Amino acid sequence: EAGVVQSPRYKIIEKKQPVAFWCNPISGHNTLYWYRQNLGQGPELLIRYENEEAVDDSQLPKDRFSAERLKGVDSTLKIQPAELGDSAVYLCASKIGLAGGSTGELFFGEGSRLTVL
Amino acid sequence: DAKTTQPNSMESNEEEPVHLPCNHSTISGTDYIHWYRQLPSQGPEYVIHGLTSNVNNRMASLAIAEDRKSSTLILHRATLRDAAVYYCILRRSGNTPLVFGKGTRLSVIA
C-alpha cells in the first residue's frame, strides 16, 4: 500500500513568489495534517482536516498561508507571497478515523523542503 | 498540553541496547505516551505508545514508571539504521494532534 505522497520534494524560490505543496494521504484516511518543521526543531502543526473540513487552523498564518482539501482526499498548502522565514520542511500526515478502531497513529510523508532566497 | 523533557542527544554503540528517557511530571490520567522517530530526510514514523503498562512491539519496548511521570523507550539492539531523532509525546486521545518537542538525537557508532 502506498504511503503519504508529497510533492514537490524540494522547491527553491525567491521571496515574494508563490509556492504550493501537494499531499495525497493514504487511501481511506479521513484525517489530514500539515506540519512545518524548521531546522533543528520538531514539527509544528499548521492545520488539521477531518474529511474536507478544517477543524483546527489556529496555527496557520492566514495572511499568507492557505490550504484546501476540496473532496476530502488530497490537499494543497499554498504560501503567497513567500518570505525568507518560510524556509522549512512542510510535512503532511494522515490517519484513519477513530471509528476504524485506530490507535490514532499518524503516517507522515517525506516532506517538501522549501528554500526561500 | 502536558510537557515532556528529553535529553538533547545520546550516543550508543551498534548492537548494544539503548534506553531513551522521557520525563513528563505533569502527565494527566488520560494522556497516552507516544514515541515517534525521524530518520534523516524523512518524516516522523510511529514507534510505540502506551498508557500505564509496559508495551512491546517489533521495533521497541516502552517502560512506563508506576507513577507515570517518566518513561523509557528501549531499543534492544541498536543498529546504524536506528540513528534518528526520537520524540516522546503526550497525547490525550487518538483524535488530538501530535505536539512535538525537540526530541533526542540518537547517534549509533559502528
Side-chain angles (χ1 to χ4, degrees), chain B residues 30-62:
Chain B
T30 54
D31 285 334
Y32 285 79
I33 302 160
H34 287 250
W35 285 82
Y36 279 69
R37 73 178 186 180
Q38 188 170 21
L39 303 172
S41 300
Q42 301 290 317
E45 65 175 349
Y46 170 83
V47 177
I48 200 166
H49 80 286
L51 184 61
T52 56
S53 304
N54 295 343
V55 185
N56 300 298
N57 66 19
R58 63 174 180 82
M59 288 181 72
S61 295
L62 176 60

Side-chain angles (χ1 to χ4, degrees), chain A residues 9 35 37 42 95 104 106 108, chain B residues 36 38 41 91 94-95 98 101:
Chain A
R9 193 85 162 85
Y35 282 84
Q37 185 170 26
K95 75 172 181 71
L106 267 66
F108 284 82
Chain B
Y36 279 69
Q38 188 170 21
S41 300
R91 193 176 183 204
N95 214 28
L98 295 174

